[in-house]
Amino acid sequence: AQSVAQPEDQVNVAEGNPLTVKCTYSVSGNPYLFWYVQYPNRGLQFLLKYITGDNLVKGSYGFEAEFNKSQTSFHLKKPSALVSDSALYFCAVRDSRGSTLGRLYFGRGTQLTVWP
Amino acid sequence: DGGITQSPKYLFRKEGQNVTLSCEQNLNHDAMYWYRQDPGQGLRLIYYSQIVNDFQKGDIAEGYSVSREKKESFPLTVTSAQKNPTAFYLCASSGTSGRAYEQYFGPGTRLTVT
């Protein structure tokens, strides 16, 4: 079974400090991993994805994520947080095996709050 | 949100009425999806479609129905059988060629049933 866990419902960080939003996953084969961001009353916006290759993936708005196969993790990071980064963040996974349909399994989301 | 439109943004209905939510995409994507979002529960998959005239139930399909008569359109009907229909509904689409592909989301429709 495929699943994603985001162990923190909320993350609070001061502007200018580094931020980390955690994600762990479970799949049978190799994972395809994704991060999305959602602002209030909006749809999800794609931030970045890991398919294969370099474990450090860079994405939009200065975000990056590190794939760690041994720990089955894909934590989202940013070196210096902005107040405008405050939003709901979702991690998602898809197994590389099986049907070509791109069904994703989402975590429950982590609310990031960056205070001035 | 670019490329996928959902209408209306807010929808109010009385209990016992069916209601249809619109989703249109101009990204030439084969696959389309409907999710329901409730506070603290993340996204739950209702229905998905890989190709025109074909669709599959997701994890919470009871009380919902869909059609896929055109590649660009994937409307969702919330029927009176859905016990708790008030929620934020998100439509998404993705390609199906290649090894991996992200989903693109519409702006969502917030349905309130009283």
Side-chain angles (χ1 to χ4, degrees), chain B residues 27-64:
Chain B
L27 301 170
N28 200 33
H29 285 164
D30 287 312
M32 296 187 74
Y33 313 81
W34 273 106
Y35 294 91
R36 171 180 171 140
Q37 185 177 18
D38 297 282
Q41 295 198 45
L43 274 68
R44 293 184 289 170
L45 184 65
I46 305 172
Y47 268 98
Y48 58 104
S49 168
Q50 188 174 7
I51 197 169
V52 174
N53 293 322
D54 186 52
F55 48 82
Q56 289 79 42
K57 293 181 179 180
D59 300 321
I60 56 164
E62 184 175 352
Y64 299 97

Side-chain angles (χ1 to χ4, degrees), chain A residues 4-6 22-25 33-36 74 89-93 105-110:
Chain A
V4 170
Q6 293 182 241
K22 295 179 181 177
C23 171
T24 59
Y25 66 88
L33 293 154
F34 305 81
W35 275 103
Y36 288 84
F74 189 56
Y89 290 81
F90 289 98
C91 182
V93 69
Y105 291 82
F106 285 84
R108 293 164 73 109
T110 298

Side-chain angles (χ1 to χ4, degrees), chain A residues 9 32-36 38-52 88 90 94-96 99-109, chain B residues 1 9-10 31-33 35 37 40-43 45 48-50 56-59 88 90 94-96 98-108 110:
Chain A
D9 292 335
Y32 297 150
L33 293 154
F34 305 81
W35 275 103
Y36 288 84
Q38 184 182 34
Y39 296 97
N41 294 312
R42 302 289 298 275
L44 275 66
Q45 296 177 32
F46 169 74
L47 280 178
L48 51 81
K49 68 181 177 183
Y50 171 82
I51 307 303
T52 187
L88 187 58
F90 289 98
R94 179 182 162 247
D95 198 324
S96 61
S99 119
T100 57
L101 182 65
R103 175 175 175 170
L104 298 179
Y105 291 82
F106 285 84
R108 293 164 73 109
Chain B
D1 296 349
K9 189 169 179 64
Y10 298 96
M32 296 187 74
Y33 313 81
Y35 294 91
Q37 185 177 18
Q41 295 198 45
L43 274 68
L45 184 65
Y48 58 104
S49 168
Q50 188 174 7
Q56 289 79 42
K57 293 181 179 180
D59 300 321
F88 190 50
L90 289 161
S94 71
T96 54
R99 292 187 298 161
Y101 29 82
E102 57 271 26
Q103 292 180 11
Y104 294 86
F105 284 79
R110 187 166 297 279

Side-chain angles (χ1 to χ4, degrees), chain A residues 4-17:
Chain A
V4 170
Q6 293 182 241
E8 300 158 316
D9 292 335
Q10 285 205 318
V11 170
N12 299 310
V13 64
E15 189 173 34
N17 283 1

